[in-house]
Amino acid sequence: MAKSSKSKTLVVIVGPTAIGKTALAIQVAQHFKSEIVSADSRQFFREMEIGTAKPDAIEQNAAKHHFINSHSVKELFSTGDFELDALKVIDDIFIKHDIAIMVGGSGLYINAVINGLDEMPEIDLQIRSKLNHQFETEGLESIQKQLKELDPEYFEKVDQNNPQRMIRGLEVFLSTGKKLSSMLSATKKERPFNIVKIGLNTDRSILYNRINERVDKMVGAGLLKEVESLLEYRSFNALNTVGYSEIFDYLDKKISLEEAISSIKQNTRRFAKRQLTWFRRDEEINWFEPNQTEAIINLINQNI
């Protein structure tokens, strides 16, 4: 990787869920005496604590984190909002430090900060209304099937269990005749800072064990009670995600608690697989095992 003439550097740490991104980000932040920008689309929401595997109080004290508990599930906080807000925070960090660290597994949010988003097209509100009705009457599967046929690239990139993301992809195509996937990467904005990308991965069986252990830990920490406390918000998009929708199904007596926990594990493993598919497309990412902190810091030093 060629060194950039830019004086400030954003270190971006990506990878699948449960791989150890938070721990690495804290070590890197402490080494360079800097701050962390979280790019996890669910850790923004203060009502969702256990099921999002947020950094705990000790971790947040170990390094300053931004965008943890910054919003309520009742607020709309889009990828475009995050792009603008995160760039402001990164600029503020660069006033005090030469390096900022961004960490997360939400590819769309990371892409928004690194490459920028295109202007999103106007949506036909009748189409949106029709799709929402289709979702309510026929379920998510019918939306997924249609989107997979019309925009398979976008379908593969995002959380397929998130109705908002599925409907978004469909409404853009049906309103404009253009794929949302083609709009997300059509133009790359030039950023006034250097970017070093670090990816974490490990043997699949090790990763899947970590995911299973994390889910068991969440259940032990009170995930069921947390989801029960969020019943009144269940229609909000942030809660139509892995770890929450399965427990809602249990509370609706559709499945047993054992089945719900098993589904969370399975859906999280599938999500991790999709995250890796997304990040592997980026040839600028330097891949490491989670325990290679020294090698990662050396690589960062070579590129600043």
Side-chain angles (χ1 to χ4, degrees):
M1 195 190 297
K3 278 193 186 182
S4 167
S5 59
K6 297 165 186 170
S7 63
K8 304 290 183 178
T9 300
L10 178 66
V11 176
V12 182
I13 298 171
V14 301
T17 188
I19 193 73
K21 297 185 294 296
T22 296
L24 174 65
I26 290 167
Q27 287 173 306
V28 173
Q30 288 180 327
H31 180 86
F32 292 104
K33 297 180 173 55
S34 190
E35 300 172 18
I36 296 169
V37 175
S38 172
D40 184 305
S41 62
R42 303 189 312 164
Q43 292 183 356
F44 305 142
F45 300 115
R46 61 183 75 97
E47 295 89 348
M48 299 164 70
E49 194 68 37
I50 298 166
T52 58
K54 279 176 191 164
D56 61 27
I58 294 167
E59 289 170 322
Q60 289 190 55
N61 285 333
K64 186 171 180 180
H65 285 70
H66 300 269
F67 297 103
I68 301 285
N69 297 329
S70 54
H71 292 73
S72 165
V73 290
K74 293 175 274 189
E75 294 173 68
L76 280 174
F77 188 58
S78 69
T79 322
D81 294 331
F82 179 70
E83 177 192 0
L84 297 174
D85 290 359
L87 288 170
K88 281 182 203 156
V89 168
I90 290 165
D91 279 347
D92 288 344
I93 294 172
F94 284 152
I95 292 168
K96 299 170 277 183
H97 311 284
D98 289 336
I99 288 178
I101 297 103
M102 183 165 71
V103 61
S106 300
L108 281 171
Y109 286 76
I110 285 163
N111 184 65
V113 173
I114 293 173
N115 299 321
L117 291 172
D118 283 0
E119 288 298 312
M120 286 292 117
E122 287 293 313
I123 297 302
D124 183 330
L125 295 178
Q126 282 183 303
I127 288 173
R128 177 176 290 176
S129 176
K130 190 179 163 200
L131 289 172
N132 283 328
H133 180 70
Q134 183 182 331
F135 169 57
E136 283 166 22
T137 54
E138 298 173 35
L140 185 57
E141 204 174 328
S142 116
I143 302 282
Q144 289 168 329
K145 190 180 171 195
Q146 202 177 344
L147 181 61
K148 192 175 183 180
E149 286 168 10
L150 295 174
D151 190 350
E153 297 86 357
Y154 178 77
F155 179 80
E156 285 302 324
K157 278 180 179 177
V158 299
D159 181 356
Q160 292 157 11
N161 290 314
N162 185 327
Q164 183 196 19
R165 297 271 167 87
M166 295 288 102
I167 290 169
R168 181 69 175 145
L170 256 189
E171 68 181 13
V172 167
F173 185 87
L174 295 174
S175 293
T176 67
K178 293 177 184 172
K179 296 178 179 180
L180 182 52
S181 57
S182 70
M183 297 174 193
L184 292 173
S185 56
T187 54
K188 193 172 176 178
K189 292 178 188 169
E190 184 67 23
R191 298 304 191 199
F193 45 80
N194 186 25
I195 297 170
V196 179
K197 300 176 187 176
I198 308 293
L200 293 185
N201 195 15
T202 191
D203 179 77
R204 184 171 287 187
S205 62
I206 294 171
L207 176 62
Y208 285 4
N209 280 337
R210 287 175 82 142
I211 287 169
N212 293 342
E213 283 169 13
R214 177 186 270 187
V215 173
D216 288 334
K217 198 174 161 189
M218 286 174 176
V219 173
L223 179 62
L224 180 57
K225 269 190 170 173
E226 175 169 279
V227 180
E228 281 176 335
S229 75
L230 294 170
L231 269 168
E232 65 180 300
Y233 305 127
R234 66 182 299 174
S235 61
F236 293 111
N237 291 312
L239 289 159
N240 286 312
T241 53
V242 178
Y244 291 86
S245 49
E246 298 88 349
I247 300 289
F248 285 136
D249 282 347
Y250 161 68
L251 295 172
D252 290 340
K253 299 187 167 53
K254 290 179 185 172
I255 54 175
S256 68
L257 184 57
E258 196 178 331
E259 286 169 324
I261 294 165
S262 176
S263 288
I264 294 171
K265 290 176 180 176
Q266 185 183 41
N267 290 332
T268 306
R269 292 193 299 266
R270 284 177 182 158
F271 179 54
K273 202 173 166 187
R274 286 198 300 277
Q275 287 174 303
L276 282 167
T277 301
W278 170 292
F279 292 125
R280 280 192 184 124
R281 291 185 182 133
D282 187 342
E283 291 173 4
E284 294 177 359
I285 293 175
N286 303 276
W287 290 96
F288 293 89
E289 286 275 335
N291 57 359
Q292 292 184 284
T293 309
E294 198 177 327
I296 290 165
I297 286 171
N298 287 340
L299 178 98
I300 295 166
N301 276 320
Q302 286 163 26
N303 289 282
I304 57 174

